[in-house]
Amino acid sequence: MKRLGFLCLMLLLCTGFTWNKAEAANVSKTKLKQTESTIFVNEKYTIPLTGKLKKATYVFTSNRTKIAKVNSKGVITGINSGTASIKVRYKYKGDFYSVGTFKVTINKSSLNTKYVSMDMLTGDKLEPSSYLDGVNPNASYIITSSVSAVAKGGSDGVIVATKAGRTSVSIHEVFNNRSRTVGSIALSVRGASFRSDNIKMAYNSSINNTDLLDDMDSGSTYVFTSNNTNLVTTSSTRISSTSVKTATALRKGVQTCQITVKETMPDKVTHTIGSLTVNVTDETFISFLNKDVLIGFGEVITVGNTGIVIQNKVAGAQYRLTPKDASVLKAQEVKNRSTDLEAIGYGMTPVSIEEIRGSKTRTLEDTVDVTVSQAYILKDLADNGLTLQAGNGQFNRYPFECRNLKAVYDYSSADQNICGVGSAGMNKNQDYLVINAKKAGTTEISVYETMTDINSKTQAVKRSRKKIGSFNVTVEPSYGPGYTPLPGTSGTPGPGSSVTPGPGTSNTPGPGTSNTPAPSSRPTSNPGGDISLEQYLDDPVGCNIVRSIKLEHNGKTYYGYPSDSGLECLFGDDDGFSDYIDYGTEFENITMDEFTITLANSGYELVSVESYGGTEWSLGIRLTDEDQTIKEVPVYLNAAEFNTSSILSDITVKLGKATRHIPDSPYPAKSSLNEDEDYQFEDDNKEFKAYFTPREFLNAGSYEYYDLLYPDADPDEPGYPDDDKLATTLSELTNVSCSYTESGGNVAVKSITRAETDDNYYWSFEVEFEDGTAEEFSVSIEVDDEDY
């Protein structure tokens, strides 16, 4: 029996051995079809196998999961550039078997280091194949620009330079529904650009080249080329459309042509800015130059040269104006005449225009953006103040812009001994400011606006008065005709420099007009009469060819300075003899019609005013010599530096019933924390702190400084706050707020966002300027743990 059992065991082992050998031969049929492959990041690839067993479990393992990951089905996903090995095994009937190793190489598109920072010219295009290494042909490359006006792009990865300036261009790769950031390019763009790349133009009209281009350079030359000279011709100064009669044979509705512009830079580099589409039409439209209107409360605008300007008006037609926001503008139609729009609220609203002719009415394609603004102190006064002479210096005009026609204005002087103030005017309700300079010194003039509301039922009168701003007046001693400034001094203006209007001039501006007094005159060789040609040739300086120059832009008046040391005119200098242009101004919007230029000789002739990039202009002045020489006088517009007080007059922070005003009322009065630089309105300060005492935190409901008030309090004594109260912090309160008051001193301010916070400790809001730039302001709420 024992022998028989042994034989049976041996037979069983031999049978099992034979089965395992056969089975092993069978399972070893699973093999790799190929042993390596190359894919891109975020690409998927399935390892190819042959002879797979249905009942086997396959195991895939990556030796570098940061390079390539693999799932249980053998699908590889590229993670980062590099090479990884995927070990392939399977388990069958409890035993593991090795198939082999699969090598995968991951390619990753990356930003070429030469393009981390680069320059481009307007109109240039940059392809992904240029700035990327290892472009994935199956991926999309999305371009985003921090300043979209400077450069733009789409999903094809092409970067297009559109306007002079700086921007950060980010490249994102989208592949297999996954997005990743490839890199960022610090891009600087130079060259002129189109103000609008698609415009309408009336037949038999002209548009100056300076109105078509932004960022023109005085050292560059520009060539405008039309692809249809029968429709639009070009010159070095303007484009001109043909007459309707000439175009009749060609015209079938609106006629379109392309204007291509090439720019040759001062360094002789030539590039094509691009093509401008010009639609020449006899249909009614609003020019791209006249689509924004700024008015004050109570003002009425209508269709006309001083309101909404319509091109190609149809004879006999009436035009109805309809505001989108009826709370800003109120429409009033009188019989069948044009609709008047009265400003009844503050804000901006688009205005649509209907053309009515007989029984036919159609809505024009173009709209006009009308902004109704609060009254604000003129920038020159807010920033630089006013200088007068004792005894004969006067000021007779409105010191603010966007006058509220429903309000009455009054004024006060902080020191009546230095200068007296009052209101005057020839007409009813005329209330412009009158200043009489008395003695040398400096004082502040405050401007107040009073609204009167009469209840229609009770006839009760309610008046509300608010301060819209203030400015400083400096009164200098009176100097006689024989006064001569000491060598090396800035000099004090003599006779003729007073801002008092002379005989025959109007000293009572109409409502809504801007008449900023000119800055004190710099000592000059210009005596006041005509400068002869010989005098100019002996001393060829700006003041001997240009008597005066001013710019009226955005409803404000800026005064320039014809130089007495060089052949140029300046706007903005450190000596205060000319006006800086508001910070954030879109210089490209300035037009030649906004300049008022008086020449130093009545025989001289101003023949051209041209722009080279908005901040640089050139005056072409024909002299009185035999050759009729034209002298070019450069004009430079300098932007003012960032100044918080030109934007804000107050920041108010409230914690419960406690209030802090930045910078008007420091509190607590004796705390050394008041010296904190983040408390005051420094010129360029955008970060502020509002200090509250621990007691004020507690009164508002915050217990986070309870231990400072009661350091010896016993938790076991009655009245000690429970844990829930002690856990209450500033972030949990609902009685905390932050707001601001605009000073109105900077007309380039486009909008200011509401102050917002996530935790009540830190508040922020953003100021947007018309040139597209923005500045962020922040206010933090702090505890005053000194002298509380």
Side-chain angles (χ1 to χ4, degrees):
M1 288 297 292
K2 293 183 178 179
R3 182 176 180 81
L4 179 61
F6 177 77
L7 291 174
C8 289
L9 177 62
M10 291 302 292
L11 179 62
L12 179 63
L13 290 173
C14 290
T15 303
F17 177 78
T18 304
W19 179 89
N20 283 338
K21 185 176 181 181
E23 192 65 33
N26 183 43
V27 298
S28 65
K29 290 180 180 179
T30 301
K31 297 180 179 180
L32 291 168
K33 284 185 180 180
Q34 60 189 66
T35 59
E36 62 180 275
S37 183
T38 299
I39 63 174
F40 281 92
V41 169
N42 289 330
E43 188 173 356
K44 296 182 182 298
Y45 179 85
T46 302
I47 297 175
L49 298 176
T50 62
K52 292 184 67 175
L53 300 176
K54 292 183 179 180
K55 296 183 179 181
T57 300
Y58 288 84
V59 180
F60 304 89
T61 307
S62 172
N63 71 331
R64 301 179 71 187
T65 56
K66 292 184 178 181
I67 301 298
K69 294 193 301 185
V70 63
N71 65 13
S72 61
K73 295 181 179 180
V75 178
I76 301 172
T77 301
I79 304 300
N80 213 332
S81 58
T83 301
S85 295
I86 310 297
K87 186 177 181 181
V88 183
R89 298 178 298 158
Y90 64 91
K91 182 179 182 182
Y92 187 76
K93 293 187 177 182
D95 293 319
F96 277 95
Y97 301 90
S98 174
V99 175
T101 301
F102 185 85
K103 179 182 177 183
V104 62
T105 300
I106 311 299
N107 286 339
K108 177 181 180 181
S109 59
S110 59
L111 181 64
N112 189 309
T113 55
K114 294 188 300 183
Y115 292 89
V116 172
S117 178
M118 62 171 298
D119 297 331
M120 291 179 71
L121 298 174
T122 52
D124 285 354
K125 295 182 179 180
L126 192 63
E127 300 282 344
S129 57
S130 298
Y131 62 81
L132 291 181
D133 290 332
V135 177
N136 182 347
N138 298 315
S140 296
Y141 291 93
I142 310 298
I143 302 300
T144 57
S145 174
S146 62
V147 184
S148 58
V150 173
K152 59 184 180 181
S155 60
D156 58 358
V158 177
I159 301 171
V160 181
T162 54
K163 183 178 174 60
R166 295 179 182 274
T167 185
S168 176
V169 176
S170 297
I171 304 101
H172 301 272
E173 181 186 80
V174 179
F175 183 49
N176 283 336
N177 297 320
R178 292 175 177 243
S179 176
R180 70 178 185 88
T181 301
V182 176
S184 181
I185 299 175
L187 179 61
S188 177
V189 178
R190 65 189 181 104
S193 57
F194 291 117
R195 186 171 181 176
S196 174
D197 57 9
N198 194 311
I199 67 170
K200 294 179 181 178
M201 186 176 185
Y203 283 97
N204 200 27
S205 66
S206 297
I207 300 177
N208 292 332
N209 292 344
T210 53
D211 289 330
L212 299 174
L213 295 180
D214 288 336
D215 301 310
M216 297 178 73
D217 191 303
S218 59
S220 298
T221 57
Y222 301 88
V223 177
F224 288 70
T225 304
S226 170
N227 72 342
N228 186 351
T229 54
N230 291 323
L231 186 64
V232 177
T233 59
T234 64
S235 71
S236 61
T237 59
R238 62 182 57 87
I239 64 172
S240 303
S241 60
T242 187
S243 66
V244 176
K245 182 177 180 181
T246 304
T248 300
L250 301 172
R251 183 167 53 88
K252 295 178 181 179
V254 177
Q255 292 292 295
T256 301
C257 74
Q258 300 291 321
I259 305 295
T260 302
V261 182
K262 288 187 177 181
E263 178 182 37
T264 301
M265 311 289 283
D267 56 6
K268 306 304 180 183
V269 174
T270 298
H271 69 111
T272 299
I273 295 172
S275 293
L276 166 69
T277 300
V278 180
N279 302 289
V280 185
T281 179
D282 56 0
E283 296 178 353
T284 308
F285 70 96
I286 306 295
S287 169
F288 71 101
L289 297 171
N290 301 302
K291 288 190 175 181
D292 295 285
V293 177
L294 176 67
I295 59 176
F297 189 91
E299 286 194 51
V300 176
I301 60 172
T302 186
V303 174
N305 292 334
T306 58
I308 294 178
V309 181
I310 297 178
Q311 303 288 331
N312 288 335
K313 290 174 63 177
V314 176
Q318 300 294 321
Y319 294 92
R320 179 183 292 119
L321 309 178
T322 304
K324 183 177 182 180
D325 189 346
S327 67
V328 176
L329 295 175
K330 179 182 178 182
Q332 295 178 331
E333 187 171 0
V334 181
K335 296 182 180 179
N336 196 29
R337 293 180 296 176
S338 302
T339 301
D340 291 339
L341 297 179
E342 180 184 0
I344 61 171
Y346 295 108
M348 188 279 287
T349 180
V351 174
S352 60
I353 304 165
E354 289 181 314
E355 182 181 77
I356 305 169
R357 190 180 184 188
S359 61
K360 295 183 178 181
T361 300
R362 74 182 186 95
T363 301
L364 301 188
E365 179 182 354
D366 305 302
T367 61
V368 176
D369 290 336
V370 178
T371 300
V372 182
S373 172
Q374 299 267 4
Y376 53 87
I377 303 297
L378 293 166
K379 178 184 181 299
D380 174 72
L381 293 179
D383 291 351
N384 305 318
L386 175 67
T387 300
L388 299 174
Q389 276 188 271
N392 63 355
Q394 291 187 349
F395 181 90
N396 299 280
R397 53 192 65 125
Y398 289 115
F400 51 85
E401 188 61 279
C402 290
R403 182 177 187 269
N404 183 341
L405 298 186
K406 304 291 185 180
V408 176
Y409 293 86
D410 65 288
Y411 315 90
S412 69
S413 171
D415 191 337
Q416 290 280 353
N417 294 320
I418 294 175
C419 62
V421 297
S423 303
M426 299 298 294
N427 302 320
K428 183 180 179 180
N429 295 330
Q430 202 158 23
D431 48 12
Y432 60 84
L433 170 63
V434 176
I435 300 178
N436 291 312
K438 297 180 180 179
K439 70 173 186 179
T442 299
T443 186
E444 182 183 49
I445 305 298
S446 298
V447 182
Y448 297 91
E449 177 184 274
T450 301
M451 289 284 289
T452 302
D453 181 45
I454 301 177
N455 190 299
S456 58
K457 293 183 179 180
T458 64
Q459 297 300 304
V461 178
K462 180 181 178 181
R463 291 184 174 85
S464 59
R465 184 171 182 260
K466 70 175 183 179
K467 180 179 177 180
I468 69 169
S470 62
F471 60 95
N472 288 331
V473 175
T474 298
V475 179
E476 295 181 340
S478 179
Y479 295 91
Y483 172 76
T484 302
L486 294 174
T489 65
S490 60
T492 303
S497 62
S498 170
V499 297
T500 306
T505 62
S506 172
N507 62 3
T508 308
T513 60
S514 172
N515 285 298
T516 307
S520 301
S521 300
R522 184 190 298 239
T524 174
S525 59
N526 192 327
D530 271 4
I531 298 293
S532 68
L533 180 61
E534 289 74 17
Q535 288 175 288
Y536 167 70
L537 294 176
D538 288 341
D539 192 9
V541 293
C543 64
N544 282 342
I545 193 170
V546 176
R547 170 98 53 218
S548 64
I549 181 170
K550 68 178 180 180
L551 169 67
E552 295 177 277
H553 179 64
N554 273 353
K556 292 186 64 174
T557 301
Y558 305 92
Y559 288 90
Y561 156 62
S563 176
D564 57 3
S565 60
L567 190 62
E568 72 268 344
C569 297
L570 302 176
F571 281 83
D573 63 3
D574 293 337
D575 294 329
F577 291 101
S578 61
D579 295 333
Y580 284 95
I581 311 300
D582 282 345
Y583 176 87
T585 295
E586 180 68 40
F587 283 94
E588 290 77 5
N589 288 339
I590 296 174
T591 65
M592 59 179 292
D593 296 333
E594 296 176 300
F595 287 95
T596 300
I597 301 155
T598 303
L599 302 182
N601 187 305
S602 57
Y604 295 164
E605 180 184 0
L606 182 65
V607 295
S608 66
V609 180
E610 296 184 301
S611 171
Y612 299 97
T615 57
E616 296 183 16
W617 293 71
S618 178
L619 310 179
I621 300 174
R622 180 179 287 119
L623 306 181
T624 55
D625 59 344
E626 294 181 356
D627 297 330
Q628 295 291 292
T629 301
I630 295 179
K631 178 60 67 175
E632 298 291 332
V633 177
V635 178
Y636 301 102
L637 308 182
N638 294 312
E641 295 182 356
F642 178 80
N643 187 340
T644 300
S645 62
S646 72
I647 301 169
L648 305 173
S649 63
D650 176 65
I651 296 177
T652 303
V653 183
K654 293 185 178 181
L655 174 59
K657 295 182 179 180
T659 301
R660 297 290 178 272
H661 291 281
I662 303 171
D664 293 336
S665 54
Y667 180 90
K670 296 181 180 180
S671 173
S672 63
L673 296 176
N674 289 329
E675 303 301 324
D676 194 317
E677 63 180 7
D678 290 338
Y679 196 87
Q680 303 298 325
F681 272 10
E682 301 295 338
D683 286 348
D684 59 351
N685 193 15
K686 300 189 289 292
E687 298 179 357
F688 304 99
K689 294 181 180 179
Y691 289 97
F692 293 87
T693 65
R695 176 72 63 185
E696 289 168 328
F697 273 83
L698 183 62
N699 291 342
S702 171
Y703 282 75
E704 53 195 303
Y705 301 110
Y706 184 84
D707 58 336
L708 291 179
L709 292 170
Y710 304 103
D712 301 323
D714 186 349
D716 296 326
E717 290 294 324
Y720 192 85
D722 57 28
D723 291 342
D724 288 341
K725 278 190 174 182
L726 290 174
T728 303
T729 63
L730 194 65
S731 61
E732 299 172 74
L733 304 185
T734 59
N735 55 353
V736 186
S737 65
C738 176
S739 60
Y740 57 79
T741 301
E742 299 181 44
S743 69
N746 187 333
V747 300
V749 173
K750 187 176 180 181
S751 65
I752 307 180
T753 62
R754 187 178 64 179
E756 295 182 347
T757 183
D758 292 329
D759 56 8
N760 282 345
Y761 291 92
Y762 182 88
W763 297 73
S764 66
F765 54 93
E766 187 176 80
V767 179
E768 181 184 2
F769 299 90
E770 65 180 42
D771 65 355
T773 60
E775 299 284 355
E776 184 179 30
F777 287 78
S778 65
V779 181
S780 62
I781 295 179
E782 308 284 347
V783 63
D784 175 18
D785 54 4
E786 297 183 15
D787 304 322
Y788 58 86

